[in-house]
Every structure is written in structure tokens, then in C-alpha cells.
Amino acid sequence: MAQDAKHTILKQYFGYDSFREGQERLIDTILSGRDVLGIMPTGAGKSICFQVPALLLPGLTLVISPLISLMKDQVESLTQSGIPTAFINSSLDTEAYEKTLEGLQQGLYKILYIAPERLRAEGFVHLIRGLTISMITVDEAHCVSQWGQDFRPSYLEIDRFVKGLNYRPILSAFTATATSQVRQDITALLALNDPEVLVTGFDRKNLYFEVRHPQKKMTALLDILDERRGKSGIIYCATRKNVEAVCEAICAEGYPAVPYHAGLPDAVRRRNQELFIFDERPIVVATNAFGMGIDKSNVSFVVHYNMPGDLESYYQEAGRAGRDGEAADCILLYSGQDVRTQQFLIERGSRDAEDPEADAVLKARDRKRLKTMTFYCTTNDCLRGYMLKYFGETAPVCCGHCGNCNTQFETLDITLEAQKILSCIKRTGQRFGIKVVADTLRGSKNQRILSLGFDKLSTYNIMAEVSEKRIREMISHLAMEGFIQITDDAYPVLHFGPRARAVLFDGERVEMRLPKERTPKAKTAAGKDRTSGDAAENPALFDRLRALRSRLAAAQQVPAYVIFSNAALADMSRRLPKNDNEFLEVSGVGKAKLERYGQDFLAEIAAWLQEQG
Ligand code: ADP
Ligand code: ZN
């Protein structure tokens, strides 16, 4: 009976045919009246675990979430699916606030999102006491623990609030990352009552992990972006200053990026976030202030320009890639300086100004976490295995899908290549950076090269068959070995190094241990044949549906993904539905979405089919 009900809800409101791993068990447990603690990685589908029971339980479900900036979108998303939902946080003006309170009293909503601070407001608490709350859901539950990476003192109010009610609603707590200590804290501090604890696989199989130790991070970043043109990605930097600098530099190279950090005015930040979410500027360069709960499903790469301070943060930030289940890449650009920056932040900061003893303990813990993070960056073992073990899961010795598992080394004689590269540096006057030199060698027809007249040089097009990436690797190696010197300017220039003449004129041999050139079917998502999702069977139609979605989203001023995910659009362009019933078969289409958008999308598909004859 309950089984049918929850499947019906899943299909009707969310448009999905089946539950994912863990979802069903958590929902059943909640419906049986027992508390739950769900620990599931980002993108696993935590929301469904409390949203489905919320619709089946008699009263209101109160969702406590720290993500004020995103509540509006989450509520919008649910409303679009036909689920009566509201939110209350400090961003509401008095009128909207009053209206929501009225709605609550009339029992209009099934789900109410609030920020934890709200539990301190007497008026609100009083009102809530008069309602029937069936369940209290604590999202991002690790915030209750000071061992977690983003402790929120206001989360400690939750327990007080629950105890102040004259009945005990079901408590369900969710988080993406929780080491065993944080788990214990969640259970104790939220006073969960004999909860069913469910940890679903942290392993995100569609994510490819890699750590690079580049000479020049900017060069490495431009490489990464070059392989991923047209894709959406997040670039994390440790400081606001870096965010500005990196964003400026990649925009100058023609990449559509926006900056995001806490130092920007609110309006600018909001606007940049929207530009990113709507894919008008598919790349965002951000500090870790960005992304908490961002549900942009088509993020195809996350680059860490700086190493974060701990592995929990890293896994959470990297986990924002590939939420649509598509192959995606998580690449960390490591340098020793990153470690020093993080050390500085730990020593300078004060975790608990009032209690020096606690402060010392917390700092010691931070140092330990930094060490774990640093080891991740320097290990030669499987990167995925390293992380899974840290989060308390078993892992194979070699996952076969990370930078370390993929790397096979070979030692090559690159004397001839070195001579070609050095000649090109000479012919272009020792005045240019890696990009111009590599473009010249590879015979690029780009405007810069042509306008400089480098297509007339004898070194033009003499390494056409070598990838730009490989040329860059060789240049790095030649720099490390003293054949080339790279200046320390903002735009580094290549000069002859002290050993250059020996190679050019004295026949000195150059060897290099190189990662084997990846086969055309590269393991990274960038080079991978896309499998499902936006790998639509009919790409032209998929693009049209995407454009339609953008128009509809813009008209309603909502993010595109709250209308349909990319996976849903891909499923449409595969199934080619011709009527309402067929449209309902599409993954991600429920009743409300059919009513709202069925006509528009069916018409677009029909038009396309007709053009195809
Ligand atoms: P989390 O909060 O765990 O990071 P979400 O709840 O935002 O993840 O879900 C991630 C994505 O997976 C969303 O687009 C959601 O609609 C989708 N999803 C969740 N459950 C299912 C399911 N059973 N079938 C198909 N898609 C699902
Ligand atoms: Zn691996």
C-alpha cells in the first residue's frame, strides 16, 4: 500500500520511474515513524528522501537549511512540480513574510524551508507551535558539529526547538559528508532517536579525479579549458584576489566566465550566479563561498586552482561536477604555495576566541586535515581510493578512472622536439609565451599568429602532429631542466635557458619521462564520447529544446534547470514523444510539468520531426 503510494508520488510529481540506491529504504523508515540519518554524496538524490514522505505525511514538513541564497530556487523547483512549498528567511520583505505566515495558518503548504536562525524568533516559534509538524528535516546536518567543515552555531537551536514542542515529530537529517566523529555529533546534538543510519556509496563513478603539479597554473588551466570549450565548469580559488585575477585572465583568452566571491556587492553576486546558472556564462571562478547547494546539473568540470584546506571541502566542491550523471572531470592544480597559504589561514585564524584551549584543539585538528589534503595531492596511489578510505568506505586498490590509475609513464628521446621548440623560441624573438610558440609549431591559423606573420617562419607547422598539451609538457620539462627559462611575469615569456645552446649546437640529447599520450578515446570526460544525458541522440533537436527551455526560464525568471534537467531534454530527444502520454514517459516529467510545458515541448519536437521529413 505505502509502496504504491510512494511510487505514485515519485512518478506524478517528479516524473521518475524508480528510486535510487538508498532512497526507498530511507523513505520507508520515515513513513514507519522512525528517525533517519542519510549520508549521501552530492547528487545522489537526498531531496527526494524527504520530499516524497513530506507529501505522504499528514502535516507540514519543516526543512531546516543553511542555504538561504538557494531556498528560493528549491522552492521554485518544487512549485514547478506541483508541490505546495514556501520558504521563510531574512530575504523576505514584510509583505511576503506575512503572506507566507497566512498561508501556513491556512494549511496551504506541505513543505516549509527555513534557515536555522529562524528558530530563535519568538513570533515564528509561537506560530509554528500551533501547526501540525509531521517531520523536521535537517539538511546539511554536518553544520551542527564543530568538527565539520562549516559549523553553524544556530544548528544547536534545533534540538531546543524540538524539545519545546509538546509532541515529537519525526526527525530526518541529511548530509553529503560526515566522518564518523561528525556522524556521532549529528546523532547526539540533534538528539536523533535510534535513527536508521544509511550511508550510500560515496563513490561518484562518473567523476574523473586528477591532481596536476604544473609549473604555471595559468598555463595548465588554459589547457584544461581549451579541451572543454563550450562546457560549463567551476574554477575554485583560495582567495578573492585570485578569483579576480584568474577570471580576468581567462576572459581575456575568450572564455565566458564570471567571478564570484563574498567581497562582491550582493547584486553583482546574484547576477553572476544567474549568468552561470542560465549558461549565459557557463564558467564561474569562485571562492568556496560559491556553490553550497547549487543544483546546476550540467557542470562538466571543477578545477581547483588552489588546494583547499581539507578533503571534505574538496570532495564536496568537486562533487558539484556531473550531477546529471554525465562523465565529468575534477582536476586539482597543486603547488607547495597552496599548503603555505592554508597553514597561514589556520595559524592566523581564531576558531574559538573565548576558549583558548578549544581553539588549540581545533587548530590541531585543522592542521591534521590539511595534511590529509596535502597527501591526496602528492600520493601516487589511486585518488578515488584515497578519498573513499578517508570517508570510511572500502575501495579497490585501483579504480582505473583517476589521474594516478591512468598514468603510464614512458621515457622518450625528445632531442629533435627540443631542437624544434628552441628554434621556434629563437625565431619568434624570445618575446612570447607558451601559447604563441605552441601555436606556431602546430601551424595554427589563429588571428594572433597570422597577424604576427609567424605563418611565414621556417618553424611554422613543423610539429603539426603533436598535441598542444604534449608540447606544453615538453616545454615544462625543458624549463625544469634548464633548456628554457620561463619568466615570472603575469604573462610568462619563454627565453633560452643556460643549456639551450648545448642542444641546438652541441648535439646534447634530451630525455623525458612522460605520461603516455592518451589514446584518442581519452579517459577524461572532456575527450569521452558522451553516453547519455546531453549526449542526445538528436543533437540538433536537443539544442532546440534547450533553447526553448531557456526562453521559458527567462520569461519566468527562474533558472533553466528548475524547468527540466539536461537529462530530461536528452530523454525527450531520444524518445520523440508525440502526445501527452508519451511525454509522461520521459524521465523527469511529472503531471505538473506535463501541464505546464507539455504543449510547448511537444510542438517543438513535432516541428523538428516535420523538418526531418
Ligand atoms: P543531493 O541533494 O543529494 O545533492 P538532489 O536531491 O539535488 O541531490 O538530486 C540530484 C539530481 O538527481 C536531481 O536532478 C534529482 O532530480 C535527480 N534524482 C533524484 N532522485 C532520482 C531518481 N530516483 N531518479 C532519477 N533522478 C533522480
Ligand atoms: Zn584510481
PDB file of all heavy atoms in Angstrom, residues 63 65-75 86-94 96-98 100-101 112-119 124 152:
ATOM      1  N   VAL A  63      11.751  22.059   6.732  1.00  0.00           N
ATOM      2  CA  VAL A  63      13.102  21.757   6.280  1.00  0.00           C
ATOM      3  C   VAL A  63      14.039  22.864   6.732  1.00  0.00           C
ATOM      4  O   VAL A  63      13.851  24.026   6.377  1.00  0.00           O
ATOM      5  CB  VAL A  63      13.178  21.623   4.746  1.00  0.00           C
ATOM      6  CG1 VAL A  63      14.596  21.268   4.313  1.00  0.00           C
ATOM      7  CG2 VAL A  63      12.196  20.567   4.252  1.00  0.00           C
ATOM      8  N   SER A  65      17.562  24.508   6.533  1.00  0.00           N
ATOM      9  CA  SER A  65      18.681  24.506   5.598  1.00  0.00           C
ATOM     10  C   SER A  65      19.469  25.796   5.764  1.00  0.00           C
ATOM     11  O   SER A  65      18.899  26.861   5.962  1.00  0.00           O
ATOM     12  CB  SER A  65      18.138  24.386   4.177  1.00  0.00           C
ATOM     13  OG  SER A  65      19.086  24.865   3.258  1.00  0.00           O
ATOM     14  N   PRO A  66      20.795  25.718   5.692  1.00  0.00           N
ATOM     15  CA  PRO A  66      21.590  26.935   5.871  1.00  0.00           C
ATOM     16  C   PRO A  66      21.684  27.757   4.587  1.00  0.00           C
ATOM     17  O   PRO A  66      22.236  28.835   4.580  1.00  0.00           O
ATOM     18  CB  PRO A  66      22.958  26.387   6.262  1.00  0.00           C
ATOM     19  CG  PRO A  66      23.040  25.066   5.588  1.00  0.00           C
ATOM     20  CD  PRO A  66      21.631  24.532   5.514  1.00  0.00           C
ATOM     21  N   LEU A  67      21.163  27.218   3.502  1.00  0.00           N
ATOM     22  CA  LEU A  67      21.446  27.809   2.196  1.00  0.00           C
ATOM     23  C   LEU A  67      20.397  28.830   1.795  1.00  0.00           C
ATOM     24  O   LEU A  67      19.619  28.617   0.871  1.00  0.00           O
ATOM     25  CB  LEU A  67      21.518  26.704   1.143  1.00  0.00           C
ATOM     26  CG  LEU A  67      22.347  25.503   1.569  1.00  0.00           C
ATOM     27  CD1 LEU A  67      22.229  24.389   0.555  1.00  0.00           C
ATOM     28  CD2 LEU A  67      23.795  25.905   1.749  1.00  0.00           C
ATOM     29  N   ILE A  68      20.429  29.965   2.469  1.00  0.00           N
ATOM     30  CA  ILE A  68      19.418  30.982   2.217  1.00  0.00           C
ATOM     31  C   ILE A  68      19.355  31.367   0.743  1.00  0.00           C
ATOM     32  O   ILE A  68      18.282  31.485   0.158  1.00  0.00           O
ATOM     33  CB  ILE A  68      19.722  32.235   3.067  1.00  0.00           C
ATOM     34  CG1 ILE A  68      19.516  31.874   4.535  1.00  0.00           C
ATOM     35  CG2 ILE A  68      18.837  33.393   2.666  1.00  0.00           C
ATOM     36  CD1 ILE A  68      19.625  33.036   5.471  1.00  0.00           C
ATOM     37  N   SER A  69      20.538  31.513   0.141  1.00  0.00           N
ATOM     38  CA  SER A  69      20.569  32.008  -1.231  1.00  0.00           C
ATOM     39  C   SER A  69      19.864  31.051  -2.187  1.00  0.00           C
ATOM     40  O   SER A  69      19.472  31.431  -3.276  1.00  0.00           O
ATOM     41  CB  SER A  69      22.008  32.216  -1.664  1.00  0.00           C
ATOM     42  OG  SER A  69      22.691  30.989  -1.598  1.00  0.00           O
ATOM     43  N   LEU A  70      19.731  29.792  -1.778  1.00  0.00           N
ATOM     44  CA  LEU A  70      19.168  28.820  -2.705  1.00  0.00           C
ATOM     45  C   LEU A  70      17.750  28.397  -2.398  1.00  0.00           C
ATOM     46  O   LEU A  70      17.104  27.714  -3.180  1.00  0.00           O
ATOM     47  CB  LEU A  70      20.057  27.592  -2.733  1.00  0.00           C
ATOM     48  CG  LEU A  70      21.283  27.950  -3.526  1.00  0.00           C
ATOM     49  CD1 LEU A  70      22.463  27.184  -3.045  1.00  0.00           C
ATOM     50  CD2 LEU A  70      21.011  27.750  -4.993  1.00  0.00           C
ATOM     51  N   MET A  71      17.265  28.813  -1.247  1.00  0.00           N
ATOM     52  CA  MET A  71      15.917  28.381  -0.865  1.00  0.00           C
ATOM     53  C   MET A  71      14.899  28.741  -1.931  1.00  0.00           C
ATOM     54  O   MET A  71      14.023  27.964  -2.263  1.00  0.00           O
ATOM     55  CB  MET A  71      15.518  29.062   0.427  1.00  0.00           C
ATOM     56  CG  MET A  71      15.970  28.292   1.624  1.00  0.00           C
ATOM     57  SD  MET A  71      15.374  29.092   3.097  1.00  0.00           S
ATOM     58  CE  MET A  71      16.507  28.370   4.258  1.00  0.00           C
ATOM     59  N   LYS A  72      15.068  29.939  -2.467  1.00  0.00           N
ATOM     60  CA  LYS A  72      14.109  30.426  -3.446  1.00  0.00           C
ATOM     61  C   LYS A  72      14.057  29.459  -4.641  1.00  0.00           C
ATOM     62  O   LYS A  72      12.973  29.090  -5.090  1.00  0.00           O
ATOM     63  CB  LYS A  72      14.525  31.824  -3.897  1.00  0.00           C
ATOM     64  CG  LYS A  72      13.483  32.543  -4.674  1.00  0.00           C
ATOM     65  CD  LYS A  72      13.778  34.050  -4.677  1.00  0.00           C
ATOM     66  CE  LYS A  72      12.975  34.737  -5.748  1.00  0.00           C
ATOM     67  NZ  LYS A  72      13.602  34.631  -7.076  1.00  0.00           N
ATOM     68  N   ASP A  73      15.223  29.063  -5.103  1.00  0.00           N
ATOM     69  CA  ASP A  73      15.270  28.146  -6.241  1.00  0.00           C
ATOM     70  C   ASP A  73      14.690  26.782  -5.911  1.00  0.00           C
ATOM     71  O   ASP A  73      13.984  26.176  -6.707  1.00  0.00           O
ATOM     72  CB  ASP A  73      16.712  27.950  -6.728  1.00  0.00           C
ATOM     73  CG  ASP A  73      17.218  29.199  -7.439  1.00  0.00           C
ATOM     74  OD1 ASP A  73      16.398  30.101  -7.684  1.00  0.00           O
ATOM     75  OD2 ASP A  73      18.420  29.259  -7.721  1.00  0.00           O
ATOM     76  N   GLN A  74      15.019  26.296  -4.714  1.00  0.00           N
ATOM     77  CA  GLN A  74      14.497  24.982  -4.329  1.00  0.00           C
ATOM     78  C   GLN A  74      12.978  25.026  -4.262  1.00  0.00           C
ATOM     79  O   GLN A  74      12.295  24.112  -4.748  1.00  0.00           O
ATOM     80  CB  GLN A  74      15.072  24.566  -2.964  1.00  0.00           C
ATOM     81  CG  GLN A  74      16.516  24.120  -3.056  1.00  0.00           C
ATOM     82  CD  GLN A  74      17.201  24.058  -1.691  1.00  0.00           C
ATOM     83  OE1 GLN A  74      16.782  24.688  -0.722  1.00  0.00           O
ATOM     84  NE2 GLN A  74      18.275  23.297  -1.623  1.00  0.00           N
ATOM     85  N   VAL A  75      12.478  26.099  -3.680  1.00  0.00           N
ATOM     86  CA  VAL A  75      11.033  26.229  -3.548  1.00  0.00           C
ATOM     87  C   VAL A  75      10.393  26.393  -4.930  1.00  0.00           C
ATOM     88  O   VAL A  75       9.362  25.795  -5.236  1.00  0.00           O
ATOM     89  CB  VAL A  75      10.691  27.414  -2.619  1.00  0.00           C
ATOM     90  CG1 VAL A  75       9.220  27.764  -2.688  1.00  0.00           C
ATOM     91  CG2 VAL A  75      11.088  27.068  -1.190  1.00  0.00           C
ATOM     92  N   ALA A  86       6.864  26.616   0.562  1.00  0.00           N
ATOM     93  CA  ALA A  86       7.203  28.011   0.827  1.00  0.00           C
ATOM     94  C   ALA A  86       8.518  28.066   1.585  1.00  0.00           C
ATOM     95  O   ALA A  86       9.021  27.039   2.041  1.00  0.00           O
ATOM     96  CB  ALA A  86       6.101  28.673   1.653  1.00  0.00           C
ATOM     97  N   PHE A  87       9.072  29.274   1.677  1.00  0.00           N
ATOM     98  CA  PHE A  87      10.273  29.439   2.496  1.00  0.00           C
ATOM     99  C   PHE A  87      10.171  30.712   3.307  1.00  0.00           C
ATOM    100  O   PHE A  87       9.444  31.642   2.951  1.00  0.00           O
ATOM    101  CB  PHE A  87      11.542  29.463   1.639  1.00  0.00           C
ATOM    102  CG  PHE A  87      11.708  30.707   0.802  1.00  0.00           C
ATOM    103  CD1 PHE A  87      12.464  31.781   1.266  1.00  0.00           C
ATOM    104  CD2 PHE A  87      11.125  30.800  -0.448  1.00  0.00           C
ATOM    105  CE1 PHE A  87      12.626  32.928   0.489  1.00  0.00           C
ATOM    106  CE2 PHE A  87      11.276  31.945  -1.231  1.00  0.00           C
ATOM    107  CZ  PHE A  87      12.027  33.001  -0.763  1.00  0.00           C
ATOM    108  N   ILE A  88      10.889  30.709   4.429  1.00  0.00           N
ATOM    109  CA  ILE A  88      10.976  31.920   5.239  1.00  0.00           C
ATOM    110  C   ILE A  88      12.437  32.124   5.584  1.00  0.00           C
ATOM    111  O   ILE A  88      13.085  31.243   6.148  1.00  0.00           O
ATOM    112  CB  ILE A  88      10.171  31.787   6.552  1.00  0.00           C
ATOM    113  CG1 ILE A  88       8.673  31.747   6.240  1.00  0.00           C
ATOM    114  CG2 ILE A  88      10.493  32.953   7.476  1.00  0.00           C
ATOM    115  CD1 ILE A  88       7.805  31.630   7.472  1.00  0.00           C
ATOM    116  N   ASN A  89      12.980  33.248   5.177  1.00  0.00           N
ATOM    117  CA  ASN A  89      14.316  33.628   5.630  1.00  0.00           C
ATOM    118  C   ASN A  89      14.430  35.134   5.573  1.00  0.00           C
ATOM    119  O   ASN A  89      13.477  35.832   5.218  1.00  0.00           O
ATOM    120  CB  ASN A  89      15.414  32.934   4.806  1.00  0.00           C
ATOM    121  CG  ASN A  89      15.386  33.352   3.352  1.00  0.00           C
ATOM    122  OD1 ASN A  89      15.084  34.492   3.020  1.00  0.00           O
ATOM    123  ND2 ASN A  89      15.693  32.420   2.477  1.00  0.00           N
ATOM    124  N   SER A  90      15.619  35.619   5.911  1.00  0.00           N
ATOM    125  CA  SER A  90      15.783  37.069   6.071  1.00  0.00           C
ATOM    126  C   SER A  90      15.621  37.831   4.756  1.00  0.00           C
ATOM    127  O   SER A  90      15.510  39.040   4.753  1.00  0.00           O
ATOM    128  CB  SER A  90      17.155  37.352   6.677  1.00  0.00           C
ATOM    129  OG  SER A  90      18.131  36.655   5.934  1.00  0.00           O
ATOM    130  N   SER A  91      15.603  37.112   3.624  1.00  0.00           N
ATOM    131  CA  SER A  91      15.488  37.828   2.353  1.00  0.00           C
ATOM    132  C   SER A  91      14.037  38.236   2.036  1.00  0.00           C
ATOM    133  O   SER A  91      13.800  39.017   1.118  1.00  0.00           O
ATOM    134  CB  SER A  91      16.036  36.967   1.212  1.00  0.00           C
ATOM    135  OG  SER A  91      15.109  35.954   0.873  1.00  0.00           O
ATOM    136  N   LEU A  92      13.083  37.709   2.781  1.00  0.00           N
ATOM    137  CA  LEU A  92      11.681  38.062   2.505  1.00  0.00           C
ATOM    138  C   LEU A  92      11.366  39.461   3.037  1.00  0.00           C
ATOM    139  O   LEU A  92      11.769  39.816   4.140  1.00  0.00           O
ATOM    140  CB  LEU A  92      10.736  37.077   3.208  1.00  0.00           C
ATOM    141  CG  LEU A  92      10.575  35.683   2.630  1.00  0.00           C
ATOM    142  CD1 LEU A  92       9.475  34.939   3.383  1.00  0.00           C
ATOM    143  CD2 LEU A  92      10.243  35.723   1.146  1.00  0.00           C
ATOM    144  N   ASP A  93      10.604  40.239   2.268  1.00  0.00           N
ATOM    145  CA  ASP A  93      10.166  41.515   2.835  1.00  0.00           C
ATOM    146  C   ASP A  93       8.928  41.255   3.698  1.00  0.00           C
ATOM    147  O   ASP A  93       8.383  40.149   3.715  1.00  0.00           O
ATOM    148  CB  ASP A  93       9.897  42.550   1.729  1.00  0.00           C
ATOM    149  CG  ASP A  93       8.855  42.066   0.740  1.00  0.00           C
ATOM    150  OD1 ASP A  93       7.985  41.246   1.119  1.00  0.00           O
ATOM    151  OD2 ASP A  93       8.894  42.503  -0.422  1.00  0.00           O
ATOM    152  N   THR A  94       8.508  42.291   4.421  1.00  0.00           N
ATOM    153  CA  THR A  94       7.435  42.097   5.391  1.00  0.00           C
ATOM    154  C   THR A  94       6.177  41.534   4.731  1.00  0.00           C
ATOM    155  O   THR A  94       5.530  40.629   5.270  1.00  0.00           O
ATOM    156  CB  THR A  94       7.076  43.433   6.071  1.00  0.00           C
ATOM    157  OG1 THR A  94       8.304  44.105   6.335  1.00  0.00           O
ATOM    158  CG2 THR A  94       6.313  43.226   7.344  1.00  0.00           C
ATOM    159  N   ALA A  96       5.796  39.731   1.968  1.00  0.00           N
ATOM    160  CA  ALA A  96       5.923  38.323   1.583  1.00  0.00           C
ATOM    161  C   ALA A  96       5.902  37.429   2.821  1.00  0.00           C
ATOM    162  O   ALA A  96       5.320  36.342   2.825  1.00  0.00           O
ATOM    163  CB  ALA A  96       7.210  38.113   0.794  1.00  0.00           C
ATOM    164  N   TYR A  97       6.540  37.923   3.878  1.00  0.00           N
ATOM    165  CA  TYR A  97       6.591  37.177   5.122  1.00  0.00           C
ATOM    166  C   TYR A  97       5.185  36.966   5.680  1.00  0.00           C
ATOM    167  O   TYR A  97       4.783  35.836   5.996  1.00  0.00           O
ATOM    168  CB  TYR A  97       7.475  37.935   6.119  1.00  0.00           C
ATOM    169  CG  TYR A  97       7.598  37.278   7.475  1.00  0.00           C
ATOM    170  CD1 TYR A  97       8.206  36.031   7.612  1.00  0.00           C
ATOM    171  CD2 TYR A  97       7.117  37.910   8.623  1.00  0.00           C
ATOM    172  CE1 TYR A  97       8.323  35.432   8.856  1.00  0.00           C
ATOM    173  CE2 TYR A  97       7.236  37.311   9.871  1.00  0.00           C
ATOM    174  CZ  TYR A  97       7.835  36.078   9.985  1.00  0.00           C
ATOM    175  OH  TYR A  97       7.945  35.486  11.207  1.00  0.00           O
ATOM    176  N   GLU A  98       4.421  38.053   5.750  1.00  0.00           N
ATOM    177  CA  GLU A  98       3.048  37.971   6.276  1.00  0.00           C
ATOM    178  C   GLU A  98       2.214  37.008   5.447  1.00  0.00           C
ATOM    179  O   GLU A  98       1.431  36.205   5.963  1.00  0.00           O
ATOM    180  CB  GLU A  98       2.386  39.352   6.241  1.00  0.00           C
ATOM    181  CG  GLU A  98       3.131  40.407   7.044  1.00  0.00           C
ATOM    182  CD  GLU A  98       2.740  40.392   8.513  1.00  0.00           C
ATOM    183  OE1 GLU A  98       1.530  40.303   8.774  1.00  0.00           O
ATOM    184  OE2 GLU A  98       3.643  40.423   9.386  1.00  0.00           O
ATOM    185  N   THR A 100       3.218  34.497   3.669  1.00  0.00           N
ATOM    186  CA  THR A 100       3.609  33.108   3.910  1.00  0.00           C
ATOM    187  C   THR A 100       3.023  32.614   5.233  1.00  0.00           C
ATOM    188  O   THR A 100       2.512  31.496   5.321  1.00  0.00           O
ATOM    189  CB  THR A 100       5.140  32.984   3.929  1.00  0.00           C
ATOM    190  OG1 THR A 100       5.648  33.567   2.727  1.00  0.00           O
ATOM    191  CG2 THR A 100       5.575  31.543   3.997  1.00  0.00           C
ATOM    192  N   LEU A 101       3.078  33.471   6.259  1.00  0.00           N
ATOM    193  CA  LEU A 101       2.518  33.071   7.556  1.00  0.00           C
ATOM    194  C   LEU A 101       1.032  32.750   7.433  1.00  0.00           C
ATOM    195  O   LEU A 101       0.535  31.756   7.972  1.00  0.00           O
ATOM    196  CB  LEU A 101       2.708  34.188   8.591  1.00  0.00           C
ATOM    197  CG  LEU A 101       4.133  34.450   9.070  1.00  0.00           C
ATOM    198  CD1 LEU A 101       4.118  35.390  10.264  1.00  0.00           C
ATOM    199  CD2 LEU A 101       4.841  33.151   9.438  1.00  0.00           C
ATOM    200  N   LEU A 112       7.909  23.518   4.246  1.00  0.00           N
ATOM    201  CA  LEU A 112       8.373  24.874   4.543  1.00  0.00           C
ATOM    202  C   LEU A 112       9.875  24.844   4.783  1.00  0.00           C
ATOM    203  O   LEU A 112      10.361  24.115   5.640  1.00  0.00           O
ATOM    204  CB  LEU A 112       7.671  25.429   5.786  1.00  0.00           C
ATOM    205  CG  LEU A 112       8.163  26.803   6.246  1.00  0.00           C
ATOM    206  CD1 LEU A 112       7.769  27.895   5.254  1.00  0.00           C
ATOM    207  CD2 LEU A 112       7.632  27.143   7.638  1.00  0.00           C
ATOM    208  N   TYR A 113      10.597  25.626   3.989  1.00  0.00           N
ATOM    209  CA  TYR A 113      12.045  25.751   4.177  1.00  0.00           C
ATOM    210  C   TYR A 113      12.323  26.942   5.088  1.00  0.00           C
ATOM    211  O   TYR A 113      11.788  28.020   4.863  1.00  0.00           O
ATOM    212  CB  TYR A 113      12.750  26.009   2.842  1.00  0.00           C
ATOM    213  CG  TYR A 113      12.991  24.763   2.019  1.00  0.00           C
ATOM    214  CD1 TYR A 113      11.973  24.221   1.246  1.00  0.00           C
ATOM    215  CD2 TYR A 113      14.243  24.144   2.014  1.00  0.00           C
ATOM    216  CE1 TYR A 113      12.192  23.078   0.485  1.00  0.00           C
ATOM    217  CE2 TYR A 113      14.473  23.004   1.248  1.00  0.00           C
ATOM    218  CZ  TYR A 113      13.457  22.472   0.484  1.00  0.00           C
ATOM    219  OH  TYR A 113      13.670  21.353  -0.262  1.00  0.00           O
ATOM    220  N   ILE A 114      13.163  26.736   6.091  1.00  0.00           N
ATOM    221  CA  ILE A 114      13.582  27.872   6.918  1.00  0.00           C
ATOM    222  C   ILE A 114      15.084  27.799   7.192  1.00  0.00           C
ATOM    223  O   ILE A 114      15.702  26.734   7.106  1.00  0.00           O
ATOM    224  CB  ILE A 114      12.855  27.918   8.287  1.00  0.00           C
ATOM    225  CG1 ILE A 114      13.165  26.649   9.100  1.00  0.00           C
ATOM    226  CG2 ILE A 114      11.362  28.100   8.113  1.00  0.00           C
ATOM    227  CD1 ILE A 114      12.799  26.785  10.563  1.00  0.00           C
ATOM    228  N   ALA A 115      15.652  28.959   7.522  1.00  0.00           N
ATOM    229  CA  ALA A 115      17.040  28.996   7.982  1.00  0.00           C
ATOM    230  C   ALA A 115      17.041  28.732   9.490  1.00  0.00           C
ATOM    231  O   ALA A 115      16.076  29.054  10.171  1.00  0.00           O
ATOM    232  CB  ALA A 115      17.641  30.369   7.689  1.00  0.00           C
ATOM    233  N   PRO A 116      18.092  28.127  10.020  1.00  0.00           N
ATOM    234  CA  PRO A 116      18.101  27.755  11.438  1.00  0.00           C
ATOM    235  C   PRO A 116      17.913  28.952  12.376  1.00  0.00           C
ATOM    236  O   PRO A 116      17.319  28.816  13.440  1.00  0.00           O
ATOM    237  CB  PRO A 116      19.477  27.117  11.633  1.00  0.00           C
ATOM    238  CG  PRO A 116      20.295  27.541  10.462  1.00  0.00           C
ATOM    239  CD  PRO A 116      19.341  27.749   9.347  1.00  0.00           C
ATOM    240  N   GLU A 117      18.404  30.120  11.949  1.00  0.00           N
ATOM    241  CA  GLU A 117      18.289  31.326  12.791  1.00  0.00           C
ATOM    242  C   GLU A 117      16.834  31.627  13.124  1.00  0.00           C
ATOM    243  O   GLU A 117      16.519  32.215  14.153  1.00  0.00           O
ATOM    244  CB  GLU A 117      18.887  32.547  12.087  1.00  0.00           C
ATOM    245  CG  GLU A 117      20.408  32.524  11.959  1.00  0.00           C
ATOM    246  CD  GLU A 117      20.904  31.551  10.909  1.00  0.00           C
ATOM    247  OE1 GLU A 117      20.109  31.205  10.003  1.00  0.00           O
ATOM    248  OE2 GLU A 117      22.074  31.108  11.007  1.00  0.00           O
ATOM    249  N   ARG A 118      15.954  31.219  12.235  1.00  0.00           N
ATOM    250  CA  ARG A 118      14.527  31.488  12.415  1.00  0.00           C
ATOM    251  C   ARG A 118      14.002  30.887  13.716  1.00  0.00           C
ATOM    252  O   ARG A 118      13.040  31.363  14.301  1.00  0.00           O
ATOM    253  CB  ARG A 118      13.802  30.907  11.190  1.00  0.00           C
ATOM    254  CG  ARG A 118      12.364  31.247  10.999  1.00  0.00           C
ATOM    255  CD  ARG A 118      12.046  32.707  10.857  1.00  0.00           C
ATOM    256  NE  ARG A 118      13.006  33.496  10.097  1.00  0.00           N
ATOM    257  CZ  ARG A 118      12.890  34.805   9.918  1.00  0.00           C
ATOM    258  NH1 ARG A 118      11.869  35.448  10.443  1.00  0.00           N
ATOM    259  NH2 ARG A 118      13.797  35.447   9.221  1.00  0.00           N
ATOM    260  N   LEU A 119      14.639  29.801  14.171  1.00  0.00           N
ATOM    261  CA  LEU A 119      14.155  29.113  15.371  1.00  0.00           C
ATOM    262  C   LEU A 119      14.368  29.956  16.632  1.00  0.00           C
ATOM    263  O   LEU A 119      13.913  29.618  17.709  1.00  0.00           O
ATOM    264  CB  LEU A 119      14.862  27.759  15.524  1.00  0.00           C
ATOM    265  CG  LEU A 119      14.615  26.797  14.364  1.00  0.00           C
ATOM    266  CD1 LEU A 119      15.432  25.534  14.532  1.00  0.00           C
ATOM    267  CD2 LEU A 119      13.129  26.463  14.259  1.00  0.00           C
ATOM    268  N   PHE A 124       7.817  33.561  15.368  1.00  0.00           N
ATOM    269  CA  PHE A 124       7.757  32.450  14.436  1.00  0.00           C
ATOM    270  C   PHE A 124       7.548  31.125  15.175  1.00  0.00           C
ATOM    271  O   PHE A 124       6.707  30.305  14.806  1.00  0.00           O
ATOM    272  CB  PHE A 124       9.037  32.406  13.601  1.00  0.00           C
ATOM    273  CG  PHE A 124       9.121  31.203  12.715  1.00  0.00           C
ATOM    274  CD1 PHE A 124       8.398  31.146  11.527  1.00  0.00           C
ATOM    275  CD2 PHE A 124       9.897  30.113  13.074  1.00  0.00           C
ATOM    276  CE1 PHE A 124       8.462  30.039  10.724  1.00  0.00           C
ATOM    277  CE2 PHE A 124       9.959  28.986  12.268  1.00  0.00           C
ATOM    278  CZ  PHE A 124       9.239  28.957  11.091  1.00  0.00           C
ATOM    279  N   ARG A 152      27.710  25.673  12.190  1.00  0.00           N
ATOM    280  CA  ARG A 152      26.766  26.776  12.345  1.00  0.00           C
ATOM    281  C   ARG A 152      26.169  26.734  13.742  1.00  0.00           C
ATOM    282  O   ARG A 152      25.335  25.867  14.023  1.00  0.00           O
ATOM    283  CB  ARG A 152      25.584  26.579  11.383  1.00  0.00           C
ATOM    284  CG  ARG A 152      25.901  26.846   9.968  1.00  0.00           C
ATOM    285  CD  ARG A 152      25.747  28.327   9.726  1.00  0.00           C
ATOM    286  NE  ARG A 152      25.544  28.546   8.321  1.00  0.00           N
ATOM    287  CZ  ARG A 152      24.563  29.264   7.812  1.00  0.00           C
ATOM    288  NH1 ARG A 152      23.658  29.797   8.592  1.00  0.00           N
ATOM    289  NH2 ARG A 152      24.468  29.432   6.527  1.00  0.00           N
TER     290      ARG A 152
END
